[in-house]
Amino acid sequence: PSQGEEGGGQEQEGAEEEEEEEPMAPTDWELEEIRKALGGKNSLNEVARLDTTVTMVDCAAFHTNLATSADLAEHFKDSGGAEEEDNRTVAPLLMQQIEFADVIGLSKCDLVSKKVADDVEDALKGLNPTAKVIRVNKGDLPLNKIIDTKLFSMEKAANAAGWLQHL
């Protein structure tokens, strides 16, 4: 092949790579289908209520996560827990989730000493005094603690310190 043909082949390879498309807003017919599914209502708020906000906190990693300045993509790159484009940092996001929660599941308590679990629970109660903190072993969080609790309050959410900063 001539030099020009090689260049053309390279261009063709590049053209074959597809760029990721941004999600598109629903079309009118899709919106109509959504409205039908909602029984003619215009929003989910008209047919359902936000009952409880729950966040899970890893007791074994709490102090490490709170002390890191790493961004999510860097910190969770091996676990696939964050997208590469996500430039938020771990500690502020953890704080926001704790501040906003109605219920905090404190997981992996079985992997740390009672003193460490007590210290983390005290820290969580300091960050969010109104949240219910439930110690969780092996992912066992009783459903009656998080479903139909009627704990969510828009007023509380709107007045949470972290929530206000992001408005």
Side-chain angles (χ1 to χ4, degrees):
S2 72
Q3 201 171 15
E5 288 175 30
E6 286 178 17
Q10 288 174 353
E11 288 174 24
Q12 189 175 12
E13 285 177 24
E16 289 177 15
E17 292 179 21
E18 292 184 31
E19 289 184 26
E20 245 182 71
E21 291 185 29
E22 300 254 342
M24 296 177 58
T27 61
D28 286 341
W29 71 267
E30 290 170 319
L31 287 173
E32 190 55 39
E33 290 300 314
I34 293 169
R35 283 188 190 101
K36 283 180 189 173
L38 291 172
K41 305 292 184 187
N42 289 317
S43 76
L44 187 57
N45 290 338
E46 294 179 53
V47 294
R49 66 177 162 76
L50 181 55
D51 180 67
T52 309
T53 56
V54 180
T55 195
M56 296 297 291
V57 173
D58 182 334
C59 191
F62 178 74
H63 292 294
T64 302
N65 288 339
L66 203 56
T68 186
S69 62
D71 63 14
L72 293 174
E74 175 187 337
H75 192 71
F76 296 106
K77 66 182 174 197
D78 294 333
S79 68
E83 296 180 16
E84 283 184 41
E85 305 82 35
D86 197 336
N87 60 3
R88 296 175 296 170
T89 55
V90 174
L93 180 61
L94 178 60
M95 297 287 286
Q96 291 166 4
Q97 290 179 352
I98 292 166
E99 284 179 339
F100 192 74
D102 298 310
V103 175
I104 302 170
L106 185 55
S107 69
K108 300 185 183 176
C109 292
D110 52 326
L111 302 180
V112 299
S113 68
K114 181 177 180 333
K115 178 169 179 10
V116 169
D118 289 344
D119 289 346
V120 172
E121 184 172 344
D122 288 345
L124 295 174
K125 288 179 178 178
L127 292 167
N128 186 341
T130 62
K132 292 184 178 187
V133 179
I134 302 168
R135 293 188 185 197
V136 177
N137 292 317
K138 297 184 170 83
D140 187 20
L141 181 58
L143 292 179
N144 67 342
K145 302 291 184 183
I146 59 173
I147 295 176
D148 200 26
T149 66
K150 299 174 183 68
L151 291 173
F152 180 77
S153 160
M154 184 55 80
E155 183 178 334
K156 176 192 167 214
N159 290 318
W163 181 255
L164 284 175
Q165 291 173 4
H166 289 281
L167 289 179

